[in-house]
Amino acid sequence: PPVTRTLAGLGLHFLSMGVPGLFSWVRRQFPEAIIPEEVWSKSSPAPVSSLFVDLNHILHACTHPEYPYEEPSSRDAMLEAILLYTEALLALVQPTDLLFIAVDGPPPRAKMNQQRSRRFLAAMEAADRKRMQEQARTALASLLVPPAEPKARTATAVRAELSRGVWGAGGGGSVIAAAAAAAAAAAGAAAADKAAAASVWSCPACTLVNPAARASCDACGGARPAPAGEEWMCAACTLINAAASKACDACGSPRGPAAPPPQRLAPPPQAAGAGSSLKPPARSPEVARSSAVAQAAAALPAAPEAFDSNLLTPGTELMAWMCASIEAALRERLAGGGPLWRGLAVLFSSASEPGEGEHKLMHYVRLQTAAGLSAGETASPERMAIFGQDADLLLLGLLTHRAEVFVVREASLPPLAGELEPPALPPATVWSKPLHLVDVSALRRGLQARYFGPLFPSLRRRRGEGRAACAQGSRGAPGELPSLEGEEGEEGEGGSAAV
């Protein structure tokens, strides 16, 4: 069943279409139906008459490929990649008669609603991705800028903040009071230590700590040094001399008068309306760091602009240009007469034709099959191949009346337990990815043998009996069949056959 995801708060239901996990199930249950690309090329298979290509996967893979492939830098590069991918399929399958390429056109109304919700979700995810990229750039820039210096606070300011408190009345007051008391005790201890340090002095000769009342050292008799605040600097050699020295101890220059503090020149007055002051206004460290972080984020290399997959929608300017360019390129290659295109009929269904690509292809296959069946054929003997990454092509291939059908798709799944190989580098280009071919005829035989084997021996014989019973309305109930069951009618009424 389809998978539904709801966007919270928007009431938007995103419907995941397709058949999730079908190809991986087929690969595990029926490995004999999977033909790797290299095995197909070496086996010299019988010629394939027709190749049907659902171009939508190629469009997405060549315009915004997944990692590690880089996105094309221009529209011309995208177009070249699409054509190279198509030629790689031609070189592998080598159809002899027909190449049919189809692009998704306008879908029916129900599918259109589903596509609108899916594209709206893609736009939302792109906006979220861009916002997260900006946040990552800012976070990276903050690592390149040193943190701002913490603003100095006085003990009075700290006590005022603690007194205001940050908790409510439910027990926070005692915690605040205890913190304030601890801060006050620490401040008192610091003041006591400072007073104790001022009550003694250290001898500069023998480092003995003497009481403040002593004028000379008790050990060596050295004189008590002058307080550090009374030292003076020599104007000639800049030596710091003791306060009692009348001349410099180094050069002998006499002690001069104290130099007056430097005077700061005031800026010249400006006329009214002449503009702001020459000196920029002072900024706090936090504001300065925020400005530095913004400048660093702007200096980082910008993230590449992601391709908007919503542009690959019928009706957009890019899709119209792409379809017209592909049609012109196909005409050019047919006119060139290359070995891959020689003797090949090419049909191209653009995005302006309604319907999904795979259903356009299957409609053409049904028309061909109906023409063959009207001529008396039970199944078309022609071999055909269908390229597409959607797993529902396997189901559509099972419903065709072709003797041999192959579904070509990228080998994107990891190898099975018995196919483990040393890791290898990915292909150099998108169009050189390895491919798998699914033999739909072998898959049909495997399904019949595993799930319908006990029913098929008697099915054909009873099919005629069931048809006769349904047509004639016989009283006798026909034998039970897998999808046909006879019922007894009322008295006097004919029996009925329920299908």
Side-chain angles (χ1 to χ4, degrees):
V3 180
T4 304
R5 291 178 288 180
T6 304
L7 294 179
L10 296 177
L12 179 64
H13 296 273
F14 173 69
L15 201 62
S16 178
M17 304 300 290
V19 190
L22 176 60
F23 178 69
S24 61
W25 179 82
V26 169
R27 189 163 173 257
R28 292 192 307 268
Q29 300 296 327
F30 305 98
E32 67 277 4
I34 309 299
I35 307 174
E37 175 185 358
E38 57 274 9
V39 176
W40 172 273
S41 302
K42 294 178 181 179
S43 61
S44 299
V48 176
S49 60
S50 305
L51 173 61
F52 299 87
V53 179
D54 182 7
L55 199 65
N56 270 73
H57 171 71
I58 298 180
L59 289 175
H60 285 274
C62 295
T63 54
H64 54 287
E66 58 188 10
Y67 180 83
Y69 305 103
E70 296 183 359
E71 291 187 3
S73 57
S74 62
R75 289 185 175 184
D76 294 334
M78 296 178 185
L79 177 63
E80 186 66 21
I82 293 170
L83 297 175
L84 290 174
Y85 203 128
T86 306
E87 290 183 342
L89 293 175
L90 282 176
L92 174 65
V93 180
Q94 297 181 3
T96 58
D97 300 333
L98 174 67
L99 170 63
F100 192 168
I101 301 176
V103 185
D104 284 357
R109 177 69 185 188
K111 183 65 182 294
M112 190 179 298
N113 293 337
Q114 183 270 335
Q115 288 185 347
R116 285 177 178 174
S117 63
R118 182 177 61 189
R119 288 162 184 158
F120 179 68
L121 177 63
M124 288 183 58
E125 290 177 346
D128 292 341
R129 189 183 306 111
K130 185 175 182 180
R131 184 174 62 255
M132 288 188 291
Q133 288 177 352
E134 293 298 329
Q135 293 175 355
R137 287 169 61 85
T138 303
L140 180 58
S142 64
L143 299 177
L144 303 178
V145 178
E149 293 293 335
K151 185 179 180 181
R153 296 185 299 173
T154 62
T156 304
V158 173
R159 284 195 294 270
E161 292 178 3
L162 291 174
S163 63
R164 285 196 300 268
V166 293
W167 297 289
S174 60
V175 178
I176 296 175
D193 293 341
K194 185 176 181 180
S199 62
V200 296
W201 59 275
S202 176
C203 178
C206 64
T207 68
L208 179 67
V209 177
N210 300 276
R214 299 288 195 272
S216 61
C217 179
D218 294 339
C220 65
R224 179 177 179 177
E230 298 179 4
E231 294 176 346
W232 61 276
M233 183 178 67
C234 177
C237 65
T238 68
L239 179 68
I240 304 297
N241 299 275
S245 302
K246 300 301 182 182
C248 179
D249 296 337
C251 64
S253 300
R255 180 177 180 178
Q263 298 294 327
R264 178 173 297 177
L265 298 177
Q270 291 182 345
S276 59
S277 174
L278 296 178
K279 179 182 177 182
R283 297 188 300 176
S284 64
E286 292 80 4
V287 175
R289 187 173 189 275
S290 300
S291 177
V293 169
Q295 294 177 3
L300 290 174
E305 190 69 23
F307 181 83
D308 186 6
S309 59
N310 289 337
L311 296 177
L312 296 178
T313 304
T316 61
E317 187 271 336
L318 175 63
M319 199 64 169
W321 177 88
M322 194 73 74
C323 290
S325 302
I326 291 174
E327 183 176 356
L330 292 176
R331 293 181 182 275
E332 180 181 353
R333 279 162 170 73
L334 283 175
L340 295 177
W341 305 87
R342 188 177 299 114
L344 197 62
V346 178
L347 300 179
F348 178 69
S349 176
S350 67
S352 60
E353 183 180 352
E356 292 186 289
E358 59 264 30
H359 293 291
K360 295 180 186 180
L361 303 178
M362 298 311 299
H363 178 68
Y364 184 84
V365 171
R366 293 187 190 100
L367 291 178
Q368 279 191 329
T369 305
L373 292 178
S374 62
E377 299 177 356
T378 57
S380 176
E382 298 179 350
R383 292 158 56 96
M384 58 173 285
I386 311 173
F387 173 80
Q389 205 65 12
D390 293 339
D392 53 357
L393 286 175
L394 297 176
L395 301 179
L396 295 175
L398 287 170
L399 296 176
T400 60
H401 291 269
R402 294 295 183 103
E404 293 188 73
V405 179
F406 301 91
V407 175
V408 188
R409 52 179 293 131
E410 291 181 0
S412 57
L413 294 175
L416 298 176
E419 303 174 359
L420 293 179
E421 297 178 355
L425 294 176
T429 56
V430 176
W431 55 88
S432 58
K433 288 182 179 180
L435 301 174
H436 278 166
L437 291 89
V438 183
D439 189 348
V440 178
S441 302
L443 176 60
R444 181 185 291 112
R445 291 192 296 268
L447 290 171
Q448 291 175 352
R450 179 172 299 185
Y451 299 105
F452 304 102
L455 304 178
F456 275 86
S458 58
L459 181 58
R460 292 185 178 179
R461 177 177 55 83
R462 291 179 178 257
R463 184 184 299 167
E465 299 174 0
R467 287 177 178 173
C470 292
Q472 299 176 6
S474 172
R475 285 184 174 272
E480 294 184 0
L481 292 174
S483 60
L484 185 64
E485 181 181 0
E487 295 180 357
E488 287 291 342
E490 295 291 339
E491 184 72 21
E493 296 182 1
S496 62
V499 179

